Amino acid sequence: MNIDRMEFIAWMERIMERFDILKEYVLNIQKQRHSIDGEQLLDNQDVLQMLKISHRSLQRYRSTGKLPYYTISGKLYYKLSDVHQFIRDSFNSPLRRTKGNK
């Protein structure tokens, strides 16, 4: 089988178009899988990076009820709106006083 250069390029362009379609399809499925009621879900790693905190701090926020979370198939998730509310609450809470702070 022998094809000329132009035919080869046309075939490659069609293949690349199909890959682009598949890429969009996969991205849409991933967005749907990581959302609940149309709201984006974040996993532990997402929240750690967003808040720039340690695993232990995140665990403490979950344990104290400051940051709501959901367990889906054994994995922890957080609603993006809950994380935003947690950030707002953190900014609005009064500073703790220490012995040297009056």
Side-chain angles (χ1 to χ4, degrees):
M1 182 170 139
N2 198 5
I3 59 173
D4 67 349
R5 185 177 193 287
M6 295 305 291
E7 191 175 347
F8 175 76
I9 290 173
W11 274 98
M12 292 307 291
E13 286 176 354
R14 281 189 229 135
I15 290 170
M16 294 308 293
E17 286 174 11
R18 296 277 172 103
F19 279 137
D20 290 339
I21 291 169
L22 285 172
K23 177 184 171 186
E24 288 300 316
Y25 178 74
V26 168
L27 289 174
N28 285 335
I29 289 175
Q30 286 178 335
K31 286 179 187 174
Q32 291 172 1
R33 188 175 61 183
H34 294 294
S35 67
I36 189 166
D37 297 331
E39 187 172 353
Q40 184 179 356
L41 292 177
L42 305 172
D43 64 10
N44 274 340
Q45 196 62 35
D46 294 332
V47 175
L48 291 172
Q49 289 175 349
M50 180 184 267
L51 299 178
K52 295 182 178 26
I53 58 173
S54 68
H55 286 277
R56 180 66 183 112
S57 293
L58 184 56
Q59 182 182 359
R60 188 177 339 114
Y61 297 144
R62 282 194 314 265
S63 300
T64 59
K66 290 183 179 181
L67 185 58
Y69 66 96
Y70 306 89
T71 305
I72 302 172
S73 299
K75 189 170 179 182
L76 299 175
Y77 291 96
Y78 309 83
K79 283 185 179 180
L80 181 59
S81 63
D82 289 339
V83 175
H84 285 167
Q85 186 62 47
F86 172 79
I87 293 169
R88 281 191 293 277
D89 293 345
S90 297
F91 278 120
N92 294 333
S93 66
L95 295 175
R96 292 186 203 166
R97 292 189 171 195
T98 60
K99 290 181 181 179
N101 220 3
K102 292 187 178 185

